[in-house]
Amino acid sequence: MSEQKTRARRLGMGVTTFGAVAGTIILAAPQAGAWPTGLEVSGTSHNVGCSYTLTASIDVDRLLSVAFRDNGSELPGSPVTPSLLSGKVTINWTPSTAGKHTLTVTQTLISKSIDVDVAPANPLTSTGSVGCGLSGGSSNLLPSLSGLLPSISG
């Protein structure tokens, strides 16, 4: 009988050790679902009402959707499914308020964030002019005046 008890103890210790090692491996492994490794915003300066492109780099999982947020609020058009070939995912972002914006990309449980300072809208800007055009964005704050004035070229 003591031989059976010894075998049972050894088996129990083996199962316990296996469970502990397996649990450690699972907890120490990176998230299997996803891995955003970078987040960039187009332009060098940013204004309210101008449109910019957010680009996230996805290195592990290109099948699960990616969510984009501005100060915790999900952006219109989010979530986005990454390209299987490029490992990049993009979305347009048009800030509606001035100040600090924390832009975040999340896939499953892993996130990457950047902070962007947004200046107030310039009322003299229109698409392609100094207010948005040079900063990498575009604005629709003022309609184009070319359609309102008659052409002098004939």
Side-chain angles (χ1 to χ4, degrees):
M1 286 275 197
S2 74
E3 189 176 324
Q4 287 179 341
K5 285 183 182 179
T6 303
R7 282 186 184 173
R9 273 193 204 141
R10 285 183 186 167
L11 179 63
M13 284 180 27
V15 169
T16 302
T17 302
F18 176 77
V21 170
T24 302
I25 291 171
I26 290 170
L27 291 176
Q31 295 294 328
W35 210 295
T37 57
L39 179 60
E40 298 174 359
V41 60
S42 64
T44 55
S45 62
H46 306 92
N47 293 84
V48 168
C50 296
S51 181
Y52 305 95
T53 301
L54 301 181
T55 303
S57 299
I58 308 298
D59 282 352
V60 174
D61 189 340
R62 296 180 185 164
L63 297 176
L64 295 176
S65 295
V66 176
F68 288 91
R69 290 183 173 74
D70 177 6
N71 291 336
S73 296
E74 195 161 319
L75 294 177
S78 179
V80 179
T81 302
S83 164
L84 291 174
L85 301 176
S86 74
K88 303 259 185 206
V89 64
T90 62
I91 194 169
N92 288 326
W93 169 61
T94 305
S96 59
T97 60
K100 179 183 168 189
H101 288 254
T102 300
L103 302 173
T104 306
V105 59
T106 304
Q107 191 181 40
T108 308
L109 300 174
I110 298 180
S111 297
K112 191 76 172 177
S113 296
I114 59 172
D115 291 329
V116 176
D117 291 318
V118 176
N122 181 344
L124 301 177
T125 62
S126 64
T127 303
S129 68
V130 174
C132 291
L134 294 180
S135 63
S138 63
S139 172
N140 295 321
L141 293 175
L142 291 178
S144 173
L145 296 177
S146 63
L148 299 176
L149 300 173
S151 171
I152 27 183
S153 63

